[in-house]
Amino acid sequence: MFDDLRHARRLASTLDGFARVYLLRVGVQLGLFEALREARTAVELAEHLGLAPDLVAAWLRAAGAQGLVKREGDRFRLGSFAAWLLDSPRLAELQALLDQTVLGVAPRLESLGALMKGGERPVFGAGAEALRAAAIPRLVEGRALQALARVPGARTARRVLDVGCGFGTYLAGLLRRYRDAHGLGIELDPHVAEEARRVLREAEVSRRGEIRVGDFMTMDLPKGTYDLILVNHGLHHFAPPERGALLRRARSRVSERGVVVIQTATASRDPLARWLGSAAWVASLDLYLRTHRNLYGLPEADELETTLAQSGFRATGVVPILPGGNVVYVWGRPG
């Protein structure tokens, strides 16, 4: 009896987690949470936003059961977690994460059975998917820039190359911190690259930063020039046998006193990672990536260090970005 109840509770928790993503997304998307900064009845909320009263009432009951809203008599008010979400300076990136979970991850996992039986895997990056994917890494950007300062040689770098720069926010952050640094960002997607140019302009660093559209593996770049080469969350675009070629090319473009730094999610057996839930998140991310024909699994940090050593880097190391070690920098230096 006890085992049945325990497993039933776990099943209910799993279903709750699935529903919570959708409740959060629609709450942000339709302004339900914002409207609930002021206590309202279900009828008042529906009238205020021009929404279907019965569905608003049902959403409030479900959101209340999840702890996303608080009930005060016949009125409802914003819960603490939803308030944190709305007030986060990274709300746009959190919205991108919710959107990607619903619009990107859910359809891939729904088709997982067919894919396991040999179904054709889709190509990642069509339409708005690339824009959502480029936004999500900004969630760890602040911690990542702080952690980058702990990588040997990164703080003294004055010539920076950002491979797969996405929206250019990391490059802009570096150029704002180090006023005598110059940077080049390379991005395959022209729409994402245009957004990166806008980010550099708004950060007032465009005189020292340039964005080019193209492929790092084939682009004409001077050898032995850059003090810091960044590869942020881009390694899963390369099949494991191709990663050595990527790192050897980076080795040929970095200066002898420079450093190549790879940011990646990776599996961690740290108990803290399990407690935080990041270990489960990374395992799910790895599965999602592998459901695409043009994406590959996440690397192990020690395997990546070995590949760096085999690619001509004499010194290597790992710097954690998030507690638990599920997002890290793996670095290599030629000398």
Side-chain angles (χ1 to χ4, degrees):
M1 179 67 174
F2 177 76
D3 279 347
D4 285 346
L5 290 174
R6 180 165 58 88
H7 292 310
R9 181 177 181 275
R10 188 164 188 177
L11 176 60
S13 177
T14 300
L15 296 174
D16 285 348
F18 172 78
R20 193 176 300 121
V21 173
Y22 289 85
L23 292 169
L24 275 171
R25 182 170 180 258
V26 77
V28 173
Q29 195 177 51
L30 297 184
L32 289 155
F33 288 134
E34 186 64 41
L36 288 174
R37 290 188 187 274
E38 173 186 335
R40 300 175 191 269
T41 66
V43 172
E44 289 170 344
L45 181 60
E47 289 179 351
H48 178 72
L49 296 174
L51 302 174
D54 61 326
L55 292 180
V56 169
W59 179 87
L60 284 168
R61 288 193 293 272
Q66 297 279 357
L68 301 176
V69 301
K70 298 181 295 184
R71 185 161 190 164
E72 302 172 349
D74 63 345
R75 294 178 179 273
F76 295 84
R77 187 181 294 275
L78 189 64
S80 60
F81 173 68
W84 169 83
L85 185 76
L86 283 190
D87 295 336
S88 170
R90 295 297 186 196
L91 177 58
E93 290 77 24
L94 289 166
Q95 283 183 279
L97 178 60
L98 291 172
D99 287 346
Q100 181 61 8
T101 301
V102 171
L103 302 175
V105 177
R108 292 290 77 74
L109 296 184
E110 186 178 351
S111 63
L112 185 59
L115 296 177
M116 283 183 167
K117 293 178 181 179
E120 185 176 357
R121 303 182 192 191
V123 173
F124 174 83
E129 195 168 31
L131 295 175
R132 293 195 300 268
I136 292 170
R138 293 201 65 188
L139 289 170
V140 299
E141 183 178 302
R143 287 183 175 271
L145 288 172
Q146 291 176 358
L148 188 60
R150 303 198 300 271
V151 173
R155 295 181 68 174
T156 57
R158 294 301 175 262
R159 294 164 296 180
V160 179
L161 176 63
D162 191 349
V163 178
C165 67
F167 287 156
T169 53
Y170 279 86
L171 184 59
L174 280 173
L175 296 181
R176 290 186 71 174
R177 285 181 178 222
Y178 305 111
R179 294 293 181 177
D180 55 346
H182 291 74
L184 169 63
I186 299 174
E187 173 55 47
L188 270 173
D189 189 296
H191 300 292
V192 175
E194 189 56 40
E195 178 66 13
R197 294 188 184 103
R198 185 191 65 79
V199 167
L200 293 188
R201 288 194 301 271
E202 290 190 354
E204 299 181 346
V205 295
S206 55
R207 288 189 176 184
R208 293 182 290 117
E210 178 189 358
I211 304 295
R212 294 185 195 171
V213 176
D215 186 344
F216 170 68
M217 298 300 290
T218 58
M219 185 176 287
D220 185 19
L221 296 166
K223 294 185 177 181
T225 298
Y226 299 98
D227 305 313
L228 171 62
I229 297 180
L230 289 171
V231 183
N232 283 323
H233 294 290
L235 207 63
H236 53 267
H237 288 275
F238 294 83
E242 298 171 350
R243 290 170 184 170
L246 168 69
L247 297 177
R248 287 191 296 273
R249 181 164 175 83
R251 168 66 180 84
S252 71
R253 266 59 188 177
V254 73
S255 65
E256 285 302 311
R257 295 185 179 182
V259 60
V260 173
V261 185
I262 301 144
Q263 182 181 165
T264 184
T266 187
S268 171
R269 297 174 181 85
D270 190 316
L272 181 58
R274 291 181 60 86
W275 182 80
L276 291 171
S278 54
W281 168 77
V282 167
S284 298
L285 174 61
D286 179 72
L287 174 60
Y288 165 71
L289 294 172
R290 293 173 187 269
T291 61
H292 300 84
R293 77 177 80 158
N294 60 335
L295 296 181
Y296 306 90
L298 296 171
E300 297 279 353
D302 55 353
E303 292 176 358
L304 191 48
E305 279 195 272
T306 299
T307 307
L308 280 163
Q310 293 171 346
S311 302
F313 294 90
R314 294 185 179 180
T316 64
V318 178
V319 172
I321 295 173
L322 295 182
N326 279 126
V327 180
V328 299
Y329 280 127
V330 183
W331 58 266
R333 302 192 72 178

Coordinates of all heavy atoms in Angstrom, one line a residue, residues 139-223:
L139 N 20.6 33.2 -19.9 CA 20.1 32.9 -18.5 C 21.3 32.7 -17.6 O 21.2 33.0 -16.4 CB 19.2 31.7 -18.5 CG 17.8 31.9 -19.1 CD1 17.1 30.6 -19.2 CD2 17.0 32.9 -18.3
V140 N 22.4 32.3 -18.1 CA 23.6 32.0 -17.2 C 24.7 33.0 -17.6 O 25.9 32.9 -17.1 CB 24.1 30.6 -17.4 CG1 23.1 29.6 -17.0 CG2 24.6 30.3 -18.8
E141 N 24.4 34.0 -18.4 CA 25.5 34.9 -18.9 C 26.2 35.6 -17.8 O 27.4 35.7 -17.8 CB 24.8 35.9 -19.8 CG 25.8 36.9 -20.5 CD 25.1 37.8 -21.4 OE1 24.5 37.3 -22.4 OE2 25.3 39.0 -21.2
G142 N 25.5 36.2 -16.8 CA 26.2 36.9 -15.7 C 27.2 36.0 -15.0 O 28.3 36.4 -14.8
R143 N 26.7 34.8 -14.6 CA 27.6 33.9 -13.9 C 28.8 33.4 -14.8 O 29.9 33.3 -14.4 CB 26.9 32.6 -13.4 CG 26.0 32.9 -12.2 CD 25.3 31.6 -11.8 NE 24.6 31.8 -10.6 CZ 25.1 31.6 -9.3 NH1 26.3 31.3 -9.2 NH2 24.3 31.8 -8.3
A144 N 28.5 33.3 -16.1 CA 29.5 32.8 -17.1 C 30.6 33.9 -17.2 O 31.8 33.5 -17.3 CB 28.8 32.5 -18.4
L145 N 30.2 35.1 -17.3 CA 31.2 36.2 -17.4 C 32.1 36.3 -16.2 O 33.3 36.5 -16.3 CB 30.6 37.5 -17.7 CG 30.0 37.7 -19.2 CD1 29.2 39.0 -19.3 CD2 31.1 37.6 -20.2
Q146 N 31.5 36.1 -15.0 CA 32.3 36.0 -13.8 C 33.2 34.8 -13.8 O 34.4 35.0 -13.4 CB 31.3 36.0 -12.6 CG 30.5 37.2 -12.3 CD 29.5 37.1 -11.2 OE1 29.4 36.0 -10.6 NE2 28.8 38.2 -10.9
A147 N 32.7 33.7 -14.2 CA 33.5 32.5 -14.2 C 34.7 32.6 -15.2 O 35.8 32.1 -15.0 CB 32.7 31.2 -14.5
L148 N 34.4 33.3 -16.3 CA 35.4 33.4 -17.4 C 36.7 34.1 -16.8 O 37.8 33.8 -17.3 CB 34.9 34.2 -18.6 CG 35.7 34.3 -19.8 CD1 36.0 32.9 -20.4 CD2 35.0 35.2 -20.9
A149 N 36.5 35.0 -15.9 CA 37.6 35.7 -15.3 C 38.6 34.7 -14.5 O 39.7 35.1 -14.3 CB 37.1 36.8 -14.3
R150 N 38.0 33.5 -14.2 CA 38.9 32.5 -13.5 C 39.6 31.6 -14.4 O 40.4 30.8 -14.0 CB 38.0 31.7 -12.5 CG 37.2 32.6 -11.5 CD 36.7 31.7 -10.3 NE 35.8 30.7 -10.7 CZ 34.5 30.8 -10.8 NH1 33.9 32.0 -10.6 NH2 33.8 29.8 -11.2
V151 N 39.4 31.8 -15.7 CA 40.1 31.0 -16.7 C 41.5 31.6 -16.9 O 41.5 32.8 -17.2 CB 39.3 30.9 -18.0 CG1 40.2 30.2 -19.1 CG2 38.0 30.1 -17.8
P152 N 42.6 30.9 -16.8 CA 43.9 31.4 -17.0 C 44.0 32.1 -18.4 O 43.7 31.6 -19.4 CB 44.8 30.2 -16.9 CG 44.1 29.2 -16.1 CD 42.6 29.4 -16.5
G153 N 44.4 33.4 -18.3 CA 44.7 34.2 -19.6 C 43.5 34.9 -20.1 O 43.6 35.8 -21.0
A154 N 42.3 34.6 -19.6 CA 41.1 35.3 -20.2 C 41.0 36.8 -19.8 O 40.6 37.6 -20.7 CB 39.8 34.6 -19.7
R155 N 41.4 37.1 -18.6 CA 41.3 38.5 -18.2 C 42.3 39.4 -19.0 O 42.0 40.6 -19.1 CB 41.5 38.6 -16.7 CG 40.5 37.9 -15.9 CD 40.7 38.1 -14.4 NE 40.5 39.5 -14.0 CZ 40.5 39.8 -12.7 NH1 40.8 39.0 -11.8 NH2 40.3 41.1 -12.4
T156 N 43.3 38.9 -19.4 CA 44.3 39.7 -20.1 C 44.1 39.7 -21.7 O 44.9 40.3 -22.4 CB 45.8 39.3 -19.8 OG1 45.9 37.9 -20.1 CG2 46.0 39.4 -18.3
A157 N 43.1 39.0 -22.1 CA 42.9 38.9 -23.6 C 42.5 40.2 -24.1 O 41.6 40.9 -23.6 CB 41.9 37.8 -23.9
R158 N 43.0 40.6 -25.3 CA 42.7 41.9 -25.9 C 42.2 41.7 -27.3 O 41.6 42.6 -27.9 CB 43.9 42.9 -25.9 CG 44.2 43.3 -24.5 CD 43.1 44.0 -23.8 NE 43.3 44.3 -22.4 CZ 42.9 43.6 -21.4 NH1 42.2 42.5 -21.6 NH2 43.1 44.0 -20.1
R159 N 42.4 40.5 -27.9 CA 41.9 40.1 -29.2 C 41.0 38.9 -29.0 O 41.5 37.8 -28.7 CB 43.0 39.9 -30.2 CG 43.8 41.1 -30.5 CD 45.2 40.7 -31.1 NE 46.0 40.0 -30.2 CZ 47.2 39.5 -30.4 NH1 47.7 39.7 -31.6 NH2 47.9 38.8 -29.6
V160 N 39.7 39.1 -29.2 CA 38.7 38.1 -28.8 C 38.0 37.6 -30.1 O 37.5 38.4 -30.9 CB 37.7 38.6 -27.8 CG1 36.6 37.5 -27.5 CG2 38.4 39.1 -26.5
L161 N 37.8 36.3 -30.2 CA 37.1 35.7 -31.3 C 35.9 34.8 -30.6 O 36.2 33.9 -29.8 CB 37.9 34.8 -32.1 CG 37.3 34.0 -33.3 CD1 36.6 34.9 -34.3 CD2 38.2 33.0 -33.9
D162 N 34.7 35.1 -30.9 CA 33.5 34.5 -30.4 C 32.9 33.6 -31.5 O 32.3 34.1 -32.5 CB 32.5 35.5 -29.9 CG 31.4 34.8 -29.1 OD1 31.3 33.6 -29.1 OD2 30.6 35.6 -28.4
V163 N 33.1 32.3 -31.4 CA 32.6 31.4 -32.5 C 31.2 31.0 -32.2 O 30.9 30.4 -31.1 CB 33.6 30.1 -32.5 CG1 33.0 29.1 -33.6 CG2 35.0 30.5 -32.8
G164 N 30.3 31.2 -33.1 CA 28.9 31.0 -32.9 C 28.4 31.9 -31.8 O 27.8 31.6 -30.8
C165 N 28.5 33.2 -32.1 CA 28.3 34.3 -31.1 C 26.9 34.5 -30.7 O 26.6 35.2 -29.8 CB 28.9 35.6 -31.6 SG 28.1 36.3 -33.0
G166 N 25.9 33.9 -31.5 CA 24.5 34.1 -31.2 C 24.1 35.6 -31.2 O 24.5 36.3 -32.2
F167 N 23.5 36.1 -30.2 CA 23.0 37.5 -30.1 C 24.1 38.4 -29.8 O 23.9 39.6 -29.7 CB 21.9 37.6 -29.2 CG 20.6 37.1 -29.6 CD1 19.6 36.7 -28.7 CD2 20.3 36.9 -31.0 CE1 18.4 36.2 -29.1 CE2 19.1 36.4 -31.4 CZ 18.1 36.0 -30.5
G168 N 25.4 37.9 -29.6 CA 26.5 38.8 -29.4 C 26.6 39.4 -28.0 O 27.4 40.3 -27.7
T169 N 25.8 38.9 -27.0 CA 25.7 39.4 -25.7 C 27.0 39.1 -24.9 O 27.4 40.0 -24.1 CB 24.5 39.0 -24.9 OG1 24.4 37.5 -25.0 CG2 23.2 39.5 -25.6
Y170 N 27.5 37.9 -25.1 CA 28.8 37.6 -24.4 C 29.9 38.5 -24.9 O 30.7 39.1 -24.1 CB 29.2 36.2 -24.6 CG 28.5 35.2 -23.7 CD1 27.2 34.7 -24.1 CD2 29.0 34.8 -22.5 CE1 26.5 33.8 -23.3 CE2 28.3 33.9 -21.7 CZ 27.1 33.4 -22.1 OH 26.4 32.6 -21.2
L171 N 30.0 38.7 -26.2 CA 31.0 39.5 -26.8 C 30.9 41.0 -26.3 O 31.8 41.6 -25.9 CB 31.0 39.5 -28.3 CG 32.0 40.2 -29.1 CD1 33.4 39.7 -28.7 CD2 31.8 40.1 -30.6
A172 N 29.6 41.5 -26.3 CA 29.4 42.8 -25.8 C 29.8 43.0 -24.4 O 30.3 44.0 -24.0 CB 27.9 43.2 -26.1
G173 N 29.4 41.9 -23.6 CA 29.8 42.0 -22.2 C 31.3 42.1 -21.9 O 31.8 42.8 -21.1
L174 N 32.0 41.3 -22.7 CA 33.5 41.3 -22.6 C 34.1 42.6 -23.0 O 35.0 43.2 -22.3 CB 34.1 40.2 -23.4 CG 34.1 38.8 -22.9 CD1 34.5 37.8 -23.9 CD2 35.0 38.7 -21.6
L175 N 33.6 43.2 -24.1 CA 34.1 44.4 -24.6 C 33.8 45.6 -23.7 O 34.5 46.6 -23.6 CB 33.6 44.7 -26.0 CG 34.0 43.7 -27.1 CD1 33.5 44.1 -28.5 CD2 35.5 43.6 -27.2
R176 N 32.6 45.5 -23.0 CA 32.3 46.6 -22.0 C 33.2 46.4 -20.7 O 33.5 47.4 -20.1 CB 30.8 46.5 -21.6 CG 29.9 46.8 -22.7 CD 28.4 46.9 -22.3 NE 28.2 48.0 -21.4 CZ 27.0 48.4 -21.0 NH1 25.9 47.6 -21.3 NH2 26.8 49.4 -20.2
R177 N 33.5 45.2 -20.4 CA 34.4 45.0 -19.2 C 35.8 45.4 -19.5 O 36.5 46.0 -18.6 CB 34.4 43.6 -18.8 CG 33.1 43.2 -18.1 CD 33.1 41.7 -17.6 NE 31.9 41.4 -16.9 CZ 31.8 40.7 -15.8 NH1 32.9 40.2 -15.3 NH2 30.7 40.4 -15.2
Y178 N 36.3 45.1 -20.7 CA 37.7 45.4 -21.0 C 37.8 46.4 -22.2 O 37.6 46.0 -23.3 CB 38.4 44.1 -21.4 CG 38.3 43.0 -20.3 CD1 37.5 41.9 -20.5 CD2 38.9 43.2 -19.1 CE1 37.3 40.9 -19.5 CE2 38.8 42.3 -18.0 CZ 38.0 41.1 -18.3 OH 37.8 40.2 -17.3
R179 N 38.0 47.7 -21.8 CA 37.8 48.8 -22.7 C 38.9 48.8 -23.8 O 38.7 49.5 -24.8 CB 37.8 50.1 -22.0 CG 36.5 50.3 -21.1 CD 35.3 50.4 -21.9 NE 34.1 50.6 -21.1 CZ 32.9 50.7 -21.6 NH1 32.7 50.8 -22.9 NH2 31.8 50.9 -20.7
D180 N 40.0 48.1 -23.6 CA 41.0 48.1 -24.7 C 41.0 46.8 -25.5 O 41.9 46.5 -26.3 CB 42.4 48.3 -24.1 CG 42.7 47.3 -23.0 OD1 41.8 46.6 -22.5 OD2 43.9 47.2 -22.6
A181 N 39.9 46.0 -25.3 CA 39.8 44.8 -26.1 C 39.0 45.0 -27.4 O 38.2 45.9 -27.5 CB 39.1 43.7 -25.2
H182 N 39.3 44.2 -28.4 CA 38.6 44.2 -29.7 C 38.1 42.7 -29.9 O 38.8 41.8 -29.5 CB 39.6 44.6 -30.8 CG 39.9 46.0 -30.7 ND1 40.8 46.5 -29.8 CD2 39.5 47.1 -31.5 CE1 41.0 47.8 -30.0 NE2 40.2 48.2 -31.0
G183 N 37.0 42.6 -30.6 CA 36.4 41.3 -30.7 C 35.7 41.1 -32.1 O 35.3 42.1 -32.7
L184 N 35.7 39.9 -32.5 CA 35.0 39.4 -33.7 C 34.1 38.3 -33.4 O 34.5 37.3 -32.7 CB 36.0 38.9 -34.8 CG 35.5 38.2 -36.0 CD1 34.6 39.1 -36.8 CD2 36.6 37.6 -36.9
G185 N 32.8 38.4 -33.7 CA 31.8 37.4 -33.5 C 31.5 36.7 -34.9 O 31.3 37.4 -35.9
I186 N 31.4 35.4 -34.9 CA 31.0 34.7 -36.1 C 29.7 33.9 -35.8 O 29.6 33.3 -34.8 CB 32.1 33.7 -36.5 CG1 33.5 34.4 -36.8 CG2 31.7 32.8 -37.7 CD1 34.6 33.4 -37.0
E187 N 28.8 34.1 -36.8 CA 27.4 33.5 -36.6 C 26.9 33.0 -37.9 O 27.0 33.7 -38.9 CB 26.5 34.5 -36.0 CG 25.0 34.1 -35.9 CD 24.8 32.8 -35.2 OE1 25.4 32.7 -34.1 OE2 24.1 31.9 -35.7
L188 N 26.4 31.8 -38.0 CA 25.9 31.2 -39.2 C 24.6 31.8 -39.6 O 24.4 32.0 -40.8 CB 25.8 29.7 -39.0 CG 26.9 28.8 -39.3 CD1 26.6 27.3 -38.9 CD2 27.3 28.8 -40.8
D189 N 23.7 32.0 -38.7 CA 22.4 32.5 -39.1 C 22.4 34.0 -39.3 O 22.7 34.8 -38.4 CB 21.4 32.2 -37.9 CG 20.0 32.4 -38.3 OD1 19.6 33.6 -38.5 OD2 19.2 31.4 -38.4
P190 N 22.0 34.5 -40.5 CA 22.1 35.9 -40.7 C 21.1 36.8 -39.9 O 21.4 37.9 -39.6 CB 21.8 36.0 -42.2 CG 21.1 34.8 -42.6 CD 21.7 33.7 -41.7
H191 N 20.0 36.2 -39.5 CA 19.0 36.9 -38.7 C 19.6 37.1 -37.3 O 19.4 38.2 -36.7 CB 17.7 36.2 -38.7 CG 17.0 36.1 -40.1 ND1 16.6 37.2 -40.8 CD2 16.8 35.0 -40.8 CE1 16.1 36.7 -41.9 NE2 16.2 35.4 -42.0
V192 N 20.2 36.0 -36.8 CA 20.8 36.1 -35.4 C 22.0 37.1 -35.5 O 22.2 37.9 -34.6 CB 21.2 34.7 -35.0 CG1 22.0 34.8 -33.6 CG2 20.0 33.8 -34.8
A193 N 22.7 37.0 -36.6 CA 23.9 37.9 -36.7 C 23.5 39.4 -36.7 O 24.1 40.3 -36.1 CB 24.7 37.6 -38.0
E194 N 22.4 39.7 -37.4 CA 21.9 41.1 -37.4 C 21.5 41.6 -36.0 O 21.7 42.7 -35.6 CB 20.7 41.2 -38.4 CG 20.3 42.6 -38.7 CD 21.4 43.5 -39.2 OE1 22.2 43.0 -40.0 OE2 21.5 44.7 -38.8
E195 N 20.9 40.7 -35.3 CA 20.5 41.0 -33.9 C 21.8 41.3 -33.1 O 21.8 42.1 -32.2 CB 19.7 39.9 -33.3 CG 19.3 40.1 -31.8 CD 18.4 41.2 -31.6 OE1 17.8 41.8 -32.5 OE2 18.2 41.7 -30.4
A196 N 22.8 40.5 -33.3 CA 24.1 40.6 -32.6 C 24.7 42.0 -32.9 O 25.3 42.7 -32.0 CB 25.1 39.5 -33.0
R197 N 24.6 42.5 -34.2 CA 25.1 43.8 -34.5 C 24.4 44.9 -33.7 O 24.9 45.9 -33.3 CB 25.0 44.0 -36.0 CG 25.9 43.1 -36.8 CD 25.9 43.5 -38.3 NE 26.6 42.6 -39.1 CZ 26.1 41.6 -39.9 NH1 24.8 41.4 -40.0 NH2 26.9 40.8 -40.5
R198 N 23.0 44.7 -33.6 CA 22.2 45.7 -32.9 C 22.7 45.7 -31.4 O 22.8 46.8 -30.8 CB 20.8 45.3 -33.0 CG 19.8 46.3 -32.3 CD 18.4 45.8 -32.2 NE 18.3 44.7 -31.3 CZ 18.3 44.7 -30.0 NH1 18.4 45.9 -29.4 NH2 18.2 43.7 -29.2
V199 N 22.9 44.5 -30.8 CA 23.4 44.4 -29.4 C 24.7 45.1 -29.2 O 24.9 45.9 -28.3 CB 23.5 42.9 -29.0 CG1 24.2 42.8 -27.7 CG2 22.1 42.3 -28.9
L200 N 25.6 45.0 -30.1 CA 26.9 45.7 -30.0 C 26.7 47.2 -30.1 O 27.4 48.0 -29.4 CB 27.9 45.2 -31.1 CG 28.4 43.8 -31.0 CD1 29.5 43.5 -32.1 CD2 28.9 43.4 -29.6
R201 N 25.8 47.6 -31.0 CA 25.6 49.1 -31.1 C 25.0 49.6 -29.9 O 25.4 50.7 -29.4 CB 24.6 49.3 -32.3 CG 25.3 49.2 -33.7 CD 24.4 49.8 -34.8 NE 23.1 49.2 -34.9 CZ 22.8 48.1 -35.6 NH1 23.7 47.5 -36.3 NH2 21.5 47.7 -35.6
E202 N 24.0 48.9 -29.3 CA 23.3 49.4 -28.1 C 24.3 49.4 -26.9 O 24.1 50.2 -26.0 CB 22.1 48.6 -27.8 CG 20.9 48.8 -28.8 CD 19.7 48.2 -28.4 OE1 19.6 47.4 -27.3 OE2 18.6 48.4 -29.0
A203 N 25.2 48.5 -26.9 CA 26.2 48.4 -25.8 C 27.3 49.4 -26.0 O 28.2 49.6 -25.2 CB 26.8 47.0 -25.7
E204 N 27.3 50.1 -27.2 CA 28.3 51.2 -27.5 C 29.7 50.6 -27.6 O 30.7 51.2 -27.2 CB 28.2 52.3 -26.5 CG 26.9 53.0 -26.5 CD 26.8 54.2 -25.5 OE1 27.8 54.3 -24.7 OE2 25.9 55.0 -25.6
V205 N 29.8 49.4 -28.2 CA 31.1 48.8 -28.4 C 31.3 48.4 -29.9 O 32.2 47.6 -30.2 CB 31.2 47.5 -27.5 CG1 31.3 47.9 -26.0 CG2 30.2 46.5 -27.8
S206 N 30.4 48.8 -30.8 CA 30.5 48.4 -32.2 C 31.8 48.9 -32.8 O 32.2 48.3 -33.8 CB 29.3 48.9 -32.9 OG 29.1 50.3 -32.8
R207 N 32.4 49.9 -32.3 CA 33.7 50.3 -32.9 C 34.8 49.3 -32.6 O 35.8 49.3 -33.4 CB 34.1 51.7 -32.3 CG 33.3 52.9 -32.9 CD 33.9 54.2 -32.4 NE 33.2 55.3 -33.0 CZ 33.5 56.6 -32.8 NH1 34.6 56.9 -32.1 NH2 32.8 57.6 -33.3
R208 N 34.6 48.6 -31.6 CA 35.7 47.6 -31.2 C 35.2 46.1 -31.5 O 35.9 45.2 -31.2 CB 36.1 47.7 -29.8 CG 36.8 49.0 -29.5 CD 37.2 49.2 -28.0 NE 36.1 49.3 -27.1 CZ 35.8 48.5 -26.2 NH1 36.4 47.4 -26.0 NH2 34.7 48.7 -25.4
G209 N 34.0 46.0 -32.0 CA 33.4 44.7 -32.2 C 32.8 44.5 -33.6 O 32.1 45.5 -34.1
E210 N 33.0 43.4 -34.2 CA 32.5 43.1 -35.5 C 31.8 41.8 -35.5 O 32.2 40.9 -34.8 CB 33.6 43.1 -36.5 CG 33.2 42.8 -38.0 CD 34.4 42.6 -38.9 OE1 35.6 42.7 -38.4 OE2 34.2 42.3 -40.1
I211 N 30.7 41.7 -36.3 CA 30.0 40.4 -36.5 C 30.0 40.0 -38.0 O 29.7 40.8 -38.8 CB 28.5 40.6 -36.1 CG1 28.4 41.1 -34.6 CG2 27.8 39.2 -36.2 CD1 28.9 40.1 -33.6
R212 N 30.4 38.8 -38.2 CA 30.5 38.3 -39.6 C 29.6 37.1 -39.7 O 29.5 36.2 -38.7 CB 31.9 37.9 -40.0 CG 32.9 39.0 -40.1 CD 34.2 38.5 -40.6 NE 35.3 39.4 -40.4 CZ 36.6 39.2 -40.6 NH1 36.9 38.0 -41.0 NH2 37.5 40.1 -40.4
V213 N 28.9 36.9 -40.8 CA 28.1 35.7 -41.1 C 29.0 34.7 -41.8 O 29.6 35.0 -42.8 CB 26.9 36.1 -41.9 CG1 26.1 34.8 -42.3 CG2 26.0 37.1 -41.2
G214 N 29.0 33.5 -41.3 CA 29.8 32.5 -41.9 C 30.1 31.3 -41.0 O 29.6 31.2 -39.9
D215 N 31.0 30.4 -41.5 CA 31.3 29.2 -40.8 C 32.8 29.3 -40.4 O 33.7 29.5 -41.2 CB 31.2 28.0 -41.8 CG 31.4 26.7 -41.1 OD1 32.0 26.6 -40.0 OD2 31.0 25.6 -41.7
F216 N 33.0 29.2 -39.1 CA 34.3 29.3 -38.5 C 35.3 28.3 -39.2 O 36.5 28.6 -39.4 CB 34.3 29.0 -37.0 CG 35.6 28.9 -36.4 CD1 36.5 29.9 -36.3 CD2 36.0 27.6 -35.9 CE1 37.8 29.8 -35.7 CE2 37.3 27.5 -35.3 CZ 38.1 28.5 -35.2
M217 N 34.8 27.1 -39.6 CA 35.6 26.1 -40.1 C 36.2 26.4 -41.5 O 37.2 25.9 -41.9 CB 34.9 24.8 -40.2 CG 34.5 24.3 -38.8 SD 35.9 24.0 -37.7 CE 36.6 22.6 -38.4
T218 N 35.5 27.3 -42.2 CA 36.0 27.7 -43.6 C 36.3 29.2 -43.8 O 36.9 29.5 -44.8 CB 34.9 27.3 -44.6 OG1 33.7 28.0 -44.3 CG2 34.6 25.8 -44.6
M219 N 36.0 30.0 -42.8 CA 36.2 31.4 -42.9 C 37.7 31.7 -42.9 O 38.5 31.1 -42.2 CB 35.5 32.2 -41.8 CG 35.6 33.7 -41.9 SD 34.6 34.5 -40.6 CE 32.9 34.2 -41.1
D220 N 38.1 32.7 -43.7 CA 39.5 33.1 -43.8 C 39.8 34.0 -42.6 O 39.3 35.1 -42.4 CB 39.7 34.0 -45.1 CG 41.2 34.3 -45.2 OD1 42.0 33.7 -44.6 OD2 41.4 35.3 -46.0
L221 N 40.6 33.4 -41.6 CA 41.0 34.1 -40.4 C 42.5 34.0 -40.2 O 43.1 33.0 -40.5 CB 40.3 33.5 -39.2 CG 38.7 33.6 -39.2 CD1 38.1 32.6 -38.1 CD2 38.3 35.0 -38.9
P222 N 43.1 35.0 -39.7 CA 44.6 35.0 -39.5 C 45.0 34.0 -38.5 O 44.2 33.8 -37.5 CB 44.9 36.4 -39.1 CG 43.6 37.0 -38.5 CD 42.5 36.3 -39.3
K223 N 46.1 33.4 -38.6 CA 46.6 32.3 -37.7 C 47.3 33.0 -36.5 O 48.0 34.0 -36.7 CB 47.5 31.3 -38.4 CG 46.8 30.5 -39.5 CD 47.7 29.5 -40.1 CE 47.0 28.6 -41.1 NZ 47.8 27.5 -41.6

